[in-house]
Amino acid sequence: HSKERGRNMISFYDPKLQASILERNEINQGLINAIAKKELNVVYQPIHNTSKELIGYEALLRWDSPKLGSVSPDVFIPIAEETKQINQIGQWVLEQVCEEMSKNDAYSNPNLSVAVNVSALQFQDPNFVPQVLETINRFSIQPSRLKLELTEGVILMGTEMLIKRMKDLKNLGINLSLDDFGTGYSSLSYLTRFPIDTLKIDKSFIDKMLISSEDESVVKAILTLATSLGKNVIAEGVESEEQFQYLKRLGCQFFQGYLLGKPQSFNHRE
Ligand code: C2E
Ligand code: MG
Ligand code: MG
Ligand code: MG
């Protein structure tokens, strides 16, 4: 999967997502002061259940660079990982989300959760769990309202350490999701050992599910696996009513995608 590959090494297969060396330097330089210059902001994409009721949001980072324009997180997050800036940026996102959750009426419903993406590198930092705890305490956020989205990339840190860190977060009451599920390389047997609540089916499978029997098979297999392991499933990138109805028929419980809502900044949410 070329998008995933692009996160870890230079790839010649997906030029769309791969910045040139010149651009990489500009992105890296620009990111150094992006927080201080208030160029970063967080948008929220709704997540719905089978009755299309809102159950929560995913927080997604945006960067509007005066020099480069709006840069996709798929492009700048891997660069921030290489230069270790991701730790600071990831912590900023968490603080931003907690602040908005604590301040805003739109969140007065205690059943609404907000999912925050966590880079594998950020998760590896030994200070990660204490930092999360300090942040949710500072803003008085109920831990069960926060979800952290991890990718299969976290497996590189070694399973024993990884499982311990996941359990530490679970013990705090924080929920964990596995993002972009199906695109990584991890053995399925890990899944039984990870205290993960939710699998998110990658958009690439949802996109092709109705036209390719292979992709349809992957979606069905993920749903069967999740059901037998007692995990929830969120389908990502649901753009049509047809996809929604088909996924619902297959037993998928949660949905995210342009059909239900685009990511919107806090102020513009209805
Ligand atoms: P992701 O976590 O898998 O997020 C889903 C991406 O799919 C988002 O792109 C979202 O806008 C997009 N999307 C959702 N529904 C649809 C749809 O129906 N159609 C289409 N075409 N796209 C849809 P976005 O916001 O560009 O984020 C891309 C990736 O960047 C994220 O993938 C995540 O891996 C990363 N990212 C975003 N924010 C953060 C962050 O705060 N921290 C970290 N570490 N990574 C982040
Ligand atoms: Mg995500
Ligand atoms: Mg995803
Ligand atoms: Mg993704």
Side-chain angles (χ1 to χ4, degrees), residues 203-263:
K203 179 179 177 297
S204 58
F205 301 114
I206 307 299
D207 279 348
K208 289 180 284 172
M209 171 185 76
L210 296 174
I211 48 169
S212 133
S213 60
E214 284 90 353
D215 291 278
E216 182 190 18
S217 299
V218 172
V219 171
K220 283 182 175 169
I222 293 173
L223 284 162
T224 305
L225 182 71
T227 306
S228 63
L229 294 176
K231 297 182 191 303
N232 293 321
V233 175
I234 301 178
E236 291 188 309
V238 179
E239 293 184 347
S240 72
E241 184 64 30
E242 205 184 348
Q243 290 170 333
F244 173 81
Q245 293 301 339
Y246 187 64
L247 286 160
K248 190 172 153 178
R249 205 163 348 117
L250 293 180
C252 186
Q253 308 116 309
F254 302 109
F255 309 84
Q256 180 180 357
Y258 292 176
L259 174 71
L260 299 148
K262 290 197 173 179

Side-chain angles (χ1 to χ4, degrees), residues 2-69:
S2 53
K3 180 182 158 195
E4 287 306 305
R5 222 169 12 234
R7 284 171 197 223
N8 303 321
M9 60 183 93
I10 305 248
S11 159
F12 299 104
Y13 303 106
D14 202 345
K16 206 170 70 235
L17 291 178
Q18 207 60 54
S20 72
I21 293 189
L22 213 77
E23 285 169 325
R24 298 170 80 80
N25 282 333
E26 289 205 75
I27 289 167
N28 181 29
Q29 283 305 313
L31 275 177
I32 291 172
N33 294 312
I35 294 178
K37 290 181 174 168
K38 302 197 190 308
E39 292 164 11
L40 297 182
N41 76 296
V42 178
V43 291
Y44 296 84
Q45 185 173 30
I47 299 171
H48 291 251
N49 65 15
T50 52
S51 312
K52 293 193 179 168
E53 290 159 344
L54 180 68
I55 59 127
Y57 297 95
E58 176 176 6
L60 293 159
L61 184 57
R62 294 289 176 262
W63 178 28
D64 284 307
S65 158
K67 205 167 164 193
L68 302 164

Side-chain angles (χ1 to χ4, degrees), residues 58 60 117 149 179-180 200 236:
E58 176 176 6
L60 293 159
N117 291 286
E149 294 194 2
D179 204 353
D180 303 344
K200 298 191 77 171
E236 291 188 309

